[in-house]
Amino acid sequence: MKQLKVIIISIMSMLMIMPYAKAQEETVTTEPHNIIKLNCGTGMLFSKIYDNSKRIEKNTSSTLDLSLNYIHLYDKKHGYIFDLTYSNIIGLEKNELFLGAGIYGIKTKDNGWYYDGNLCIGYMRKDFGQGENGIALKGQIGGGYKLSEHLSIGANLGALAGIYMDKEENYNYSSSKYSIDNEGNRPIRLTLSIGVQYYF
């Protein structure tokens, strides 16, 4: 009889402890649902730009790009992203800014590697030419390695295409007339960057 009581008490104790243990396990193994991503890289801007003060005209330019992303994951695979990207056009002292939102996806491997990508639409602004405001579509794919539960490093390849509401501009210089009807108003940019991700 005593043995039966001991068995019943043991079973009841296990049943009482199991939900608590399961909750503790879920707390420990639950992955972060938020990511802060910081990337720095260089790019190529395919857009005709004429600097009136320096008398410089370029069809392609190199850029230095810095981006900050906030990502929220609904599960382990997808979520949404906010993207803030600053680009400096090297040699022309010109700048562009992109602020957008979109969808994000990630695929993780058991060995620590991951692959991700996103597609955003948003607002663009530049500090040269007419029509400083515009809209753009930006996409990015990348991958990296997760160093710990909260930190990873990676590399990204991005592309941006936008349009500004510029008007036709004419400049006279040394008896030459430049008809710049797309002075940076239809930018296409490719960027290669490296960065870190913080998970929380």
Side-chain angles (χ1 to χ4, degrees):
M1 190 70 176
K2 286 185 178 180
Q3 292 179 349
L4 181 60
K5 287 183 178 179
V6 170
I7 292 173
I8 293 173
I9 292 172
S10 300
I11 292 173
M12 291 180 65
S13 300
M14 288 176 60
L15 291 173
M16 292 176 64
I17 294 172
M18 280 178 63
Y20 174 77
K22 186 176 180 181
Q24 288 294 102
E25 182 182 356
E26 288 178 353
T27 302
V28 172
T29 59
T30 297
E31 294 188 4
H33 285 269
N34 300 285
I35 305 172
I36 296 293
K37 179 186 285 191
L38 180 64
N39 291 317
C40 182
T42 184
M44 184 66 69
L45 175 65
F46 302 94
S47 181
K48 182 182 285 186
I49 299 174
Y50 181 73
D51 189 326
N52 194 31
S53 61
K54 296 183 178 181
R55 305 292 194 266
I56 298 174
E57 180 182 354
K58 284 191 173 183
N59 290 316
T60 57
S61 307
S62 299
T63 64
L64 179 63
D65 303 304
L66 182 66
S67 69
L68 177 65
N69 304 147
Y70 166 73
I71 299 160
H72 177 77
L73 294 174
Y74 291 113
D75 54 29
K76 296 180 180 180
K77 296 181 180 180
H78 72 280
Y80 62 83
I81 180 172
F82 292 102
D83 186 307
L84 175 63
T85 301
Y86 165 80
S87 297
N88 176 260
I89 303 173
I90 299 172
L92 292 179
E93 306 301 328
K94 307 295 184 182
N95 303 290
E96 281 189 326
L97 188 69
F98 172 80
L99 177 61
I103 56 174
Y104 174 86
I106 185 169
K107 182 175 179 61
T108 58
K109 300 288 186 179
D110 294 334
N111 57 7
W113 291 96
Y114 71 88
Y115 309 96
D116 65 352
N118 63 78
L119 183 64
C120 298
I121 186 169
Y123 165 79
M124 284 193 72
R125 183 174 177 84
K126 61 185 173 72
D127 61 2
F128 57 93
Q130 293 183 353
E132 295 180 344
N133 303 305
I135 59 173
L137 188 66
K138 180 183 178 184
Q140 185 170 272
I141 57 172
Y145 184 76
K146 201 168 182 182
L147 301 172
S148 67
E149 182 183 357
H150 296 287
L151 189 66
S152 69
I153 56 174
N156 304 277
L157 177 63
L160 179 147
I163 184 168
Y164 289 102
M165 303 307 173
D166 282 2
K167 296 180 180 179
E168 184 172 332
E169 298 183 10
N170 295 313
Y171 297 98
N172 284 293
Y173 173 61
S174 299
S175 300
S176 297
K177 187 175 184 179
Y178 295 89
S179 178
I180 313 297
D181 61 355
N182 64 335
E183 186 194 357
N185 74 340
R186 290 187 290 274
I188 298 175
R189 185 166 65 245
L190 297 177
T191 302
L192 182 63
S193 62
I194 57 174
V196 296
Q197 291 188 161
Y198 175 71
Y199 302 79
F200 64 101

